[in-house]
Amino acid sequence: PGSGGEFSVVQALQGLSHEGFLQVLSVVFKVVAACLAHLSQLSSIVRDDILRAAKVPAPATNQVSKDIRAVLQVVADVAQGRWGKLVSARSHCTPRLKLYEFQSLAAICTSFAALLEPHSPRAAAAVRLVALPQCR
């Protein structure tokens, strides 16, 4: 379903070797980690430097902090959804995985879930659920 471009991406993912697919997941992991780290740093700068220097009242500062946490959660939720699509696109390959290949896939999924956990426990749990069908 979806556009022709989406279908060709799925085909490309299915055509990758296991190592190639892990490289794709690794790049996605690094990009998401960089985005979350950048947003966290930006949050600190806004809260600790700008708002404090401007002597913004505590209730307004608390609201800004809450809004920044909400943005981080949205980023984590979107990342989880895309991760799920990537892993699901290769689900037909799972029965052919060797044990070490499955372990490497499980390890990167676990690491990705841990990356998302501080920002969205729901997204982290969903990543773990995406990995479960790969166990069958």
Side-chain angles (χ1 to χ4, degrees), residues 109-110 113-114 117 121 123-133:
C109 285
T110 300
E117 188 89 45
V127 168
R128 290 181 183 100
L129 288 175
V130 165
L132 279 179

Side-chain angles (χ1 to χ4, degrees), residues 38-117:
H38 180 73
L39 285 169
S40 293
Q41 288 175 332
L42 185 60
S43 167
S44 295
I45 291 168
V46 168
R47 255 193 345 263
D48 300 339
D49 296 339
I50 298 172
L51 296 177
R52 214 174 265 159
K55 297 185 190 307
V56 174
T61 301
N62 292 340
Q63 184 60 45
V64 169
S65 293
K66 183 179 177 182
D67 292 344
I68 291 170
R69 281 192 304 275
V71 168
L72 284 164
Q73 181 176 353
V74 168
V75 170
D77 289 346
V78 169
Q80 172 273 314
R82 297 303 171 247
W83 186 271
K85 284 186 176 198
L86 285 171
V87 173
S88 296
R90 296 267 303 179
S91 62
H92 81 285
C93 299
T94 305
R96 298 187 307 243
L97 290 180
K98 296 176 177 84
L99 179 59
Y100 75 91
E101 292 173 331
F102 171 74
Q103 289 172 330
S104 60
L105 178 61
I108 197 164
C109 285
T110 300
S111 295
F112 192 71
L115 174 68
L116 300 181
E117 188 89 45

